[in-house]
Amino acid sequence: MRLWSRYLREKKNTLFLLLLTEFLFLSVGSLYQIENLPKLFYAAVLVFAVWVIGGFLDGLKYVRKSRQLEMEFQHFCQSGELVTGSGAGDEPARLPDSMEETDSYEEAQAYFLRTLWEAQDRERRKWEERTAECGDYYVMWTHQIKTPISAMKLLFERIDYGVRDGFLVREELFKIEQYVEMVLAFQRLESISSDLVLQQYDLYHLLKQAVKKYSVLFINKGLKLELEEMEFKIVTDEKWFIFALEQLLSNSIKYTPEGKIAIWTKRQEGQILLFLEDTGIGIHAEDLPRIFEKGFTGYNGRMDRKATGIGLYLCRRILNYLGIHVKAESEEGKGTRMVLEIPWEEKNEKASG
């Protein structure tokens, strides 16, 4: 009924002209041949019947084509591809070889749209091939660059630097390694769901792994670490959860010239709140709502001139996949507090214990 109603709405002007013609036919005829008015009325009814039958047949064709069009549209929305068949079987629908060979406006429109789509599809396939080649190259490069980095770490350990210079060299090499890890994480982000391995882990053990990795930066900047002991077990992916923690630690260390970084937890119903707080320079109030956006560096990032605006973006995306909500609280000049809301059920921990 929906398609029939649409058909009648589209044909309302034609229907109006038909009724107007019938009215004029009877009106004018009745003025000159009053005694033949029944015959004129009969003729008008026959003409109207012919129009109704023709309109009904045209409506059936309209409804059939509309249903087929809606099916093709749904298929296109779901798969991104046009239906190659005619709808009645597997035989492909034939289109004219050129615009000049079309027999109607609808055929010309269909020919134009399909030609346009085929051109777009060719360009899309070329773009996908180029993107896949670039992606493969970057993945290969990321894995290969790890080998010289590991070799450089071993070589630097053999060279007799001063204590201070030795730590500085290791710090710069560590930064290179972290940038490589960030590139690799960015490349894998779109397929992270197939890479997740969810298991139960000790939260304190995960935190110690992340902190230990950044020990050289803590030492070089003279920052104090306060890591609260905790006895919580959470269900997560070890690799990705630690990577997200590392991004938060990296930011805290970068923007904390002196003082400390404290990590502690608080239990509340249904979740654990993990706090990571520093005594750094803080975040401008106008930048705070946007710090997790891709490519956003804010005032601090522009001053630093080395920020990429990718670390916190990756952090939030990864934590979202793990079912963890992260938010930031900060006051300029007084430090920043990151809060992770981690799902946790006490009954599961007791069962595992």
Side-chain angles (χ1 to χ4, degrees):
M1 289 303 296
R2 176 178 57 85
L3 295 177
W4 278 104
S5 298
R6 192 175 72 183
Y7 172 74
L8 291 175
R9 287 197 302 271
E10 290 187 13
K11 300 296 183 179
K12 62 183 179 181
N13 292 335
T14 303
L15 182 60
F16 174 75
L17 289 175
L18 170 63
L19 295 176
L20 180 61
T21 302
E22 293 276 332
F23 174 75
L24 293 175
F25 177 72
L26 292 174
S27 300
V28 175
S30 64
L31 293 176
Y32 295 96
Q33 298 179 2
I34 299 177
E35 66 279 2
N36 294 327
L37 185 60
K39 296 179 180 179
L40 292 174
F41 181 77
Y42 180 70
V45 170
L46 288 178
V47 171
F48 184 78
V50 171
W51 273 85
V52 168
I53 295 173
F56 179 74
L57 295 176
D58 184 63
L60 287 177
K61 182 179 179 181
Y62 173 89
V63 170
R64 185 172 62 252
K65 291 178 66 176
S66 296
R67 285 176 179 165
Q68 181 180 343
L69 181 63
E70 289 183 353
M71 291 175 59
E72 292 187 359
F73 179 74
Q74 291 175 359
H75 177 80
F76 179 78
C77 290
Q78 294 172 0
S79 65
E81 299 178 353
L82 291 178
V83 177
T84 57
S86 61
D90 295 330
E91 184 179 352
R94 181 187 178 280
L95 284 177
D97 295 328
S98 66
M99 185 72 77
E100 290 76 12
E101 294 182 14
T102 56
D103 296 327
S104 65
Y105 174 78
E106 287 77 10
E107 280 193 12
Q109 189 179 47
Y111 177 83
F112 173 76
L113 291 176
R114 189 175 291 272
T115 303
L116 179 62
W117 181 85
E118 289 175 351
Q120 291 179 333
D121 186 58
R122 288 193 296 270
E123 292 300 318
R124 178 178 60 84
R125 292 181 184 277
K126 290 180 182 178
W127 178 83
E128 287 177 349
E129 290 175 359
R130 291 194 296 266
T131 303
E133 290 177 357
C134 290
D136 293 341
Y137 171 77
Y138 288 133
V139 170
M140 179 191 67
W141 178 89
T142 304
H143 284 288
Q144 288 183 342
I145 199 66
K146 289 184 176 182
T147 301
I149 290 176
S150 299
M152 290 171 65
K153 290 172 70 175
L154 294 174
L155 289 173
F156 283 141
E157 289 178 359
R158 299 178 182 179
I159 299 176
D160 186 18
Y161 290 105
V163 176
R164 178 62 178 169
D165 290 341
F167 273 113
L168 290 176
V169 169
R170 284 197 290 271
E171 177 180 347
E172 295 305 316
L173 189 58
F174 174 80
K175 290 179 181 178
I176 296 174
E177 191 174 16
Q178 290 308 106
Y179 292 146
V180 172
E181 291 293 336
M182 189 180 296
V183 170
L184 190 59
F186 190 81
Q187 293 167 343
R188 292 174 173 173
L189 192 60
E190 295 305 320
S191 58
I192 184 175
S193 56
S194 61
D195 188 50
L196 293 177
V197 180
L198 299 178
Q199 296 180 9
Q200 193 174 69
Y201 295 96
D202 182 82
L203 178 58
Y204 184 66
H205 177 68
L206 297 177
L207 289 169
K208 285 202 301 183
Q209 288 187 63
V211 168
K212 182 179 179 181
K213 193 171 182 179
Y214 279 79
S215 58
V216 63
L217 301 186
F218 277 99
I219 294 173
N220 281 0
K221 298 194 73 172
L223 298 177
K224 181 182 178 182
L225 171 67
E226 294 181 359
L227 176 58
E228 175 193 80
E229 291 193 15
M230 56 199 74
E231 297 181 356
F232 295 115
K233 296 186 182 297
I234 63 172
V235 176
T236 189
D237 180 279
E238 181 180 25
K239 177 183 69 175
W240 288 107
F241 182 73
I242 291 178
F243 178 84
L245 288 177
E246 290 172 355
Q247 301 311 306
L248 297 178
L249 275 173
S250 176
N251 258 43
S252 291
I253 295 172
K254 182 187 297 184
Y255 297 112
T256 304
E258 58 183 7
K260 66 178 183 180
I261 294 176
I263 305 174
W264 79 96
T265 56
K266 178 182 177 182
R267 185 174 62 184
Q268 69 178 33
E269 186 177 356
Q271 59 185 197
I272 299 170
L273 300 182
L274 175 62
F275 299 91
L276 192 153
E277 186 173 15
D278 61 57
T279 57
I281 61 178
I283 303 171
H284 283 220
E286 61 270 22
D287 292 340
L288 194 57
R290 301 186 58 193
I291 61 172
F292 293 104
E293 292 181 10
K294 181 180 179 181
F296 182 76
T297 57
Y299 176 80
N300 293 339
R302 290 190 292 273
M303 292 295 292
D304 180 64
R305 295 188 180 182
K306 298 178 183 178
T308 61
I310 297 297
L312 290 181
Y313 164 76
L314 289 174
C315 176
R316 168 165 280 185
R317 286 283 304 273
I318 292 168
L319 292 176
N320 283 343
Y321 277 110
L322 297 175
I324 299 172
H325 177 67
V326 58
K327 61 182 180 181
E329 303 168 356
S330 183
E331 187 175 348
E332 191 174 353
K334 295 186 178 180
T336 301
R337 175 189 291 179
M338 293 290 180
V339 185
L340 274 64
E341 300 175 355
I342 307 173
W344 179 78
E345 293 187 17
E346 187 174 5
K347 60 180 180 180
N348 292 340
E349 185 160 322
K350 288 181 179 179
S352 66

